[in-house]
């Protein structure tokens, strides 16, 4: 477990006896109401391009007023905001590097090469399930859904778009596979964090997760297979034209795959993601000079300026095909600013909610509402889902319920792996379904597909909480604490 995850694990949960449940819910209800108004009635532009960011800050302001009323000091709130912002420093740096990566991988010909060869290998009739499997393999190997999306995810979106497959479906397939792999990989931070919070060991946790996770991903694969056979892939007939255009615009060679292979190899050898991605940016810049000098010359008055522009700002490469023109464009680092500000504002709101004790109060109230085993599982799921929306961070959606519900599971004679599995089934995988959550904001930006467009197709992610509740309702593989202790002897 890395130092950042260790810090999250040891995070203090603020409680406030002065605060009642209705007061704790006031900021949440106002935030949800304003977000709904902005999304459904103002088409997301009520306060301009940064409406969601302003709304999150407004929700934070309401939470601060509730906190003042309940004797919470401004210093406590600021301290929690700072802790939250510190926790997303590395993800923000990763986002900037992903922006630079997208730009340099475009001008170096890496992304076009992926599309070029992918169009010849991935048939539309198997594309979606193949995307799930490819993303799952990479994510298991790297332990990171974020790295998976930033590498093979971008390539699969490009290939699928060229084939005429809706981007929402492709993104849903990539995210389903990526989060399956992330959830099952021993290298994943959340896969280490969940058992640490629940009180079980890593490999017991992974083994127990297969009970709900494997059926869920199999259902997702069946659905994606059916979709692949039934969708109208209008781009399929034009593949030869696309290949000709890509070949005429870029110098396509298998040597370009050295860069993504190096990045994946670095991740596999547990190199820090920042170093791995930075290496990918530097290598891509070098490869651009070697393989795409004409592209660089056409973009700026000097090759170095073209590389710098690709890393920092908008870059578009014009071809004779409109589909490819849209595909071969990148926003660089500047294209990540909207997402980074959304994450920062979400952390401000979540920090104030934590600082005034609202998160702990809401979770405790859920805990008091249950007196059955199924009710305990349901309360855990609701708590994780709610915290993904309120705290806007998947780590807090694991840490807070993990700490709050641990004793309740013991009191019901339930083995700790029941809790760790439920945390992952409802906390880890649903974070990507919330637009202002760090994961939802990241994935939608990197893949270039809004959460609204991929939500229904992220089948594995939204189905997982239902699967875990179904198993709990029918008492399927719900391990008792006494049985776990016997097995450990």
């Amino acid at each position: 477990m890395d130092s950042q995850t260790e810090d999250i694990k040891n995070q203090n949960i603020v409680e406030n006896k002065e605060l009642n449940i209705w007061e704790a819910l006031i900021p949440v209800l106002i935030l949800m109401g304003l977000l709904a108004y902005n999304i459904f009635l103002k088409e997301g532009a009520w306060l301009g391009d940064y409406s969601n960011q302003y709304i999150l800050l407004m929700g934070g302001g309401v939470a601060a007023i509730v906190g003042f009323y309940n004797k919470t000091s401004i210093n406590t709130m600021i301290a929690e905001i700072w802790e939250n912002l510190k926790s997303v420093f590395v993800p923000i740096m990763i986002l900037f590097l992903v922006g630079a990566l997208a730009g340099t991988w475009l001008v170096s010909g890496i992304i076009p090469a992926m599309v070029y060869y992918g169009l010849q290998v991935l048939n539309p009739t198997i594309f979606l399930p193949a995307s799930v499997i490819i993303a799952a393999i990479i994510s298991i190997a790297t332990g990171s859904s974020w790295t998976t999306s930033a590498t093979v995810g971008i390539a699969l979106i490009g290939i699928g778009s060229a084939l005429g497959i809706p981007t929402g479906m492709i993104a849903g397939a990539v995210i389903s596979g990526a989060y399956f792999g992330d959830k099952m990989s021993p290298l994943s931070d959340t896969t280490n964090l969940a058992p640490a919070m629940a009180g079980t060991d890593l490999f017991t946790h992974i083994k127990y997760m297969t009970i709900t996770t494997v059926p869920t991903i199999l259902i997702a694969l069946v659905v994606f297979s059916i979709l692949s056979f039934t969708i109208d892939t209008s781009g399929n007939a034009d593949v030869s034209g696309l290949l000709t255009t890509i070949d005429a615009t870029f110098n396509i060679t298998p040597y370009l795959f050295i860069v993504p292979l190096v990045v994946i190899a670095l991740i596999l050898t547990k190199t820090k993601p920042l170093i791995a991605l930075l290496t990918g940016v530097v290598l891509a810049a070098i490869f651009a000079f070697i393989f795409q000098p004409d592209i660089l010359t056409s973009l700026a008055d000097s090759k170095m300026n073209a590389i710098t522009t690709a890393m920092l700002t908008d870059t578009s490469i014009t071809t004779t095909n409109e589909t490819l023109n849209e595909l071969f464009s990148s926003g660089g680092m500047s294209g990540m600013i909207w997402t980074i500000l959304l994450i920062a504002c979400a952390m401000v709101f979540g920090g104030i909610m934590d600082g005034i004790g609202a998160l702990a109060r809401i979770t405790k109230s859920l805990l008091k509402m249950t007196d059955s085993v199924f009710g305990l599982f349901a309360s855990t799921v609701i708590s994780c889902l709610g915290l993904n929306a309120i705290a806007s961070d998947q780590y807090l959606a694991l840490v807070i319920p993990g700490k709050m519900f641990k004793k309740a599971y013991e009191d019901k004679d339930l083995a700790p792996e029941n809790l760790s599995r439920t945390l992952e089934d409802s906390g880890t995988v649903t974070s990507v379904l919330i637009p202002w959550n760090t994961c939802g904001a990241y994935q939608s930006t990197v893949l270039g597909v809004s959460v609204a467009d991929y939500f229904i197709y992220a089948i594995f992610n939204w189905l997982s909480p239902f699967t875990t509740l179904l198993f709990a309702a029918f008492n399927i593989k719900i391990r008792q604490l006494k049985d776990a202790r016997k097995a450990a002897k």
Side-chain angles (χ1 to χ4, degrees):
M1 190 183 298
D2 61 31
S3 58
Q4 183 190 3
T5 308
E6 189 66 33
D7 289 341
I8 294 165
K9 172 189 169 184
N10 296 325
Q11 184 168 340
N12 180 47
I13 307 301
V14 179
E15 298 192 43
N16 185 352
K17 294 180 180 178
E18 300 286 335
L19 188 75
N20 64 49
I21 182 60
W22 300 111
E23 290 170 332
L25 287 172
I26 287 172
V28 178
L29 296 174
I30 290 176
L31 176 70
M32 295 305 173
L34 291 176
L35 287 170
Y37 177 75
N38 179 51
I39 293 168
F40 297 112
L41 297 179
K42 293 296 180 179
E43 298 180 350
W46 176 33
L47 301 172
D49 291 339
Y50 294 89
S51 293
N52 287 343
Q53 288 88 337
Y54 289 129
I55 290 170
L56 284 163
L57 292 178
M58 289 162 63
V62 172
I65 293 171
V66 172
F68 290 137
Y69 180 76
N70 287 279
K71 303 177 183 178
T72 302
S73 70
I74 184 68
N75 288 337
T76 299
M77 287 184 254
I78 291 174
E80 290 303 314
I81 290 172
W82 177 240
E83 287 300 316
N84 272 14
L85 289 174
K86 282 199 302 182
S87 74
V88 296
F89 175 76
V90 172
I92 285 173
M93 291 299 101
I94 288 175
L95 273 169
F96 273 127
L97 280 176
V98 167
L101 192 83
T104 52
W105 281 26
L106 172 61
V107 297
S108 64
I110 294 169
I111 291 175
M114 289 178 171
V115 174
Y116 182 83
Y117 291 110
L119 285 172
Q120 299 174 66
V121 175
L122 289 171
N123 189 283
T125 56
I126 62 163
F127 184 83
L128 292 175
S131 296
V132 174
I133 294 168
I134 291 168
I137 291 170
I138 297 298
S139 196
I140 288 172
T142 62
S144 171
S145 57
W146 284 34
T147 303
T148 301
S149 297
T151 51
V152 298
I154 293 173
L156 289 168
I157 289 285
I159 297 165
S161 299
L163 290 170
I165 300 172
T167 53
M169 287 187 186
I170 308 165
V174 169
I175 288 168
S176 291
Y179 275 81
F180 167 81
D182 190 322
K183 187 180 172 190
M184 298 302 293
S185 174
L187 302 177
S188 168
D189 48 7
T190 57
T191 308
N192 282 273
L193 184 60
M197 300 315 306
T200 187
D201 67 273
L202 173 63
F203 290 102
T204 298
H205 168 63
I206 292 174
K207 181 180 177 181
Y208 202 65
M209 274 201 301
T210 59
I211 296 168
T212 56
T213 303
V214 171
T216 307
I217 197 65
L218 289 176
I219 292 170
L221 281 168
V222 169
V223 174
F224 281 119
S225 297
I226 294 170
L227 287 174
S228 284
F229 279 108
T230 56
I231 56 175
D232 178 21
T233 53
S234 57
N236 188 34
D238 194 32
V239 167
S240 60
L242 294 174
L243 295 176
T244 301
T245 302
I246 295 171
D247 196 35
T249 307
F250 297 89
N251 178 18
I252 301 298
T253 168
Y255 289 119
L256 293 167
F257 286 96
I258 292 173
V259 178
L261 288 174
V262 167
V263 173
I264 291 172
L266 287 172
I267 296 291
L268 289 174
T269 54
K270 298 184 180 180
T271 304
K272 291 185 180 299
L274 286 174
I275 296 174
L277 292 173
L278 181 59
T279 302
V281 172
V282 173
L283 286 177
I286 295 170
F287 274 51
F289 278 102
I290 297 171
F291 294 105
Q292 314 298 339
D294 293 340
I295 290 288
L296 297 181
T297 302
S298 69
L299 292 174
D301 53 4
S302 76
K303 294 183 177 68
M304 195 64 211
N305 282 344
I307 290 290
T308 304
T309 300
M311 290 174 58
L312 299 177
T313 61
D314 295 335
T315 299
S316 296
I317 296 174
T318 304
T319 71
T320 57
N321 186 289
E322 285 299 323
T323 301
L324 293 177
N325 288 344
E326 185 176 345
L327 180 61
F328 295 155
S329 62
S330 168
M333 288 187 179
S334 65
M336 298 293 167
I337 295 297
W338 189 95
T339 303
I340 289 168
L341 289 176
L342 183 69
I343 290 172
C345 293
M347 291 300 100
V348 170
F349 175 75
I352 296 174
M353 287 290 288
D354 193 12
I356 69 174
L359 299 184
R361 174 62 63 193
I362 292 169
T363 306
K364 275 195 168 185
S365 297
L366 282 170
L367 187 56
K368 289 177 182 178
M369 292 168 60
T370 178
D371 58 1
S372 66
V373 170
F374 175 77
L376 182 58
F377 277 86
S379 295
T380 308
V381 169
I382 294 169
S383 180
C384 290
L385 294 174
L387 285 165
N388 262 327
I390 299 168
S392 308
D393 184 77
Q394 69 171 345
Y395 296 116
L396 291 179
L398 298 178
V399 170
I400 295 175
K403 288 186 174 181
M404 295 293 183
F405 285 85
K406 183 178 178 180
K407 188 176 185 304
Y409 276 75
E410 291 174 356
D411 292 343
K412 296 285 187 186
D413 193 37
L414 294 170
E417 48 265 37
N418 291 288
L419 175 57
S420 65
R421 183 180 74 185
T422 307
L423 291 175
E424 289 255 63
D425 282 343
S426 51
T428 299
V429 300
T430 60
S431 57
V432 74
L433 304 176
I434 311 295
W436 55 89
N437 187 286
T438 51
C439 295
Y442 174 87
Q443 297 289 352
S444 61
T445 300
V446 169
L447 297 176
V449 183
S450 71
V451 175
D453 285 339
Y454 71 61
F455 185 101
I456 191 65
Y457 299 111
I459 297 164
F460 174 78
N461 302 71
W462 58 255
L463 187 58
S464 289
F466 290 105
T467 305
T468 205
L469 288 177
L470 182 68
F471 276 63
F474 290 95
N475 198 29
I476 302 170
K477 295 294 183 179
I478 304 302
R479 197 176 193 190
Q480 299 299 303
L481 189 58
K482 58 180 181 292
D483 295 330
R485 287 170 178 163
K486 285 179 183 177
K489 289 180 180 179

